[in-house]
Amino acid sequence: MHWTTDRTTPSVGPVVVTTTRTRSPIRSNVGLKAVMAVSGIFFVLYLVAHMVGNLKAFAGETAFDHYAHWLRDIGKPLLPGVWFLWILRAALTVSIVAHIWSATVLALRARAARPVRYAHRPKIQGSYAARTMRWGGVIILLFVIYHLLDLSAGTLNPVGSSSKPYSNVVADFAPERWYVTLFYTLAIVALGFHLRHGVFSALRSLGQQTPKGERWARASALVVAVVICGGFLVIPFAVLTGLVS
């Protein structure tokens, strides 16, 4: 008698092929931080140039008006009219949107990474600037909108004449309009905190990780914030006290 063994090969089911979607580099955390850094650097350079231009108010009405009209003529005859200013405004708008977008996405990802709050979470020591970055950003955005309606469009300015930029500035920060100066001051102070934390974070990301590098980054960020804030605040207070009139 012969015994036979029937060996059957198990059937193989359908093969499921899974594909992993690779996230675009610019949408990764590193890419988003790079977007924030580049847009932030662009803002700082613009602020420095804008601050230096504002300080021409101390040179008198003629010098300030000449500077303001020169801004409208940049690029001529290659660019017609005020195209340079509109290109600059478009670049600033794109940078603002990119900066807010990247900051929002990073904040949402950080929150999603820890969906359950700890029952007891010790307080994390952080600078006041770091804790108020979001509210500071909102104040700055509202101020930019007001600033454009005030000194660019002239809608909210007592003079509101594009041909008299010096008169617009003097009328804007007149003593009877102290509330404008107050709002301007709050916005610039919020900008200072934003700059201090942003510049510090950027320098740390660029490699200043040692204790000495951290101290250098903190000092440099503080200097940048103080210089820019002081440069912007000196004009409204000079008008308020009669030094510029």
Side-chain angles (χ1 to χ4, degrees), residues 34 71 85 103 107 121 175-176 193 207:
L71 287 176
L85 286 180
R121 182 181 179 183
E176 62 271 15
F193 282 116

Side-chain angles (χ1 to χ4, degrees), residues 28-165:
S28 65
N29 287 352
V30 175
L32 291 173
K33 290 180 180 179
V35 170
M36 288 191 67
V38 172
S39 59
I41 291 172
F42 181 67
F43 284 139
V44 171
L45 294 176
Y46 169 76
L47 287 172
V48 171
H50 190 28
M51 177 191 71
V52 172
N54 285 353
L55 293 176
K56 286 188 174 292
F58 288 104
E61 182 174 1
T62 302
F64 188 83
D65 286 351
H66 176 75
Y67 161 73
H69 294 311
W70 170 78
L71 287 176
R72 297 175 176 271
D73 294 334
I74 295 179
K76 286 185 177 181
L78 181 62
L79 298 175
V82 292
W83 275 37
F84 173 80
L85 286 180
W86 283 109
I87 293 173
L88 179 61
R89 290 165 182 167
L92 286 171
T93 302
V94 171
S95 296
I96 290 173
V97 173
H99 201 78
I100 295 175
W101 168 71
S102 55
T104 303
V105 173
L106 286 171
L108 291 176
R109 286 179 183 175
R111 179 177 298 179
R114 187 176 295 167
V116 180
R117 294 184 178 181
Y118 295 119
H120 175 70
R121 182 181 179 183
K123 292 184 178 180
I124 299 176
Q125 296 296 327
S127 66
Y128 180 79
R131 296 195 300 269
T132 58
M133 281 290 282
R134 296 175 189 173
W135 285 111
V138 172
I139 294 174
I140 294 169
L141 179 60
L142 293 175
F143 169 73
V144 168
I145 295 173
Y146 174 83
H147 192 60
L148 291 174
L149 293 174
D150 181 20
L151 292 176
S152 295
T155 306
L156 303 178
N157 190 273
V159 176
S161 175
S162 59
S163 61
K164 300 178 179 179

Side-chain angles (χ1 to χ4, degrees), residues 154-214:
T155 306
L156 303 178
N157 190 273
V159 176
S161 175
S162 59
S163 61
K164 300 178 179 179
Y166 183 88
S167 299
N168 291 338
V169 172
V170 172
D172 201 27
F173 300 114
E176 62 271 15
R177 286 169 58 86
W178 58 268
Y179 49 90
V180 174
T181 302
L182 177 60
F183 179 47
Y184 188 92
T185 302
L186 291 175
I188 297 300
V189 170
L191 174 64
F193 282 116
H194 206 86
L195 284 172
R196 178 171 174 260
H197 181 71
V199 172
F200 170 73
S201 299
L203 292 175
R204 292 281 285 174
S205 299
L206 291 174
Q208 300 299 329
Q209 300 294 333
T210 63
K212 182 178 179 181
E214 181 180 354

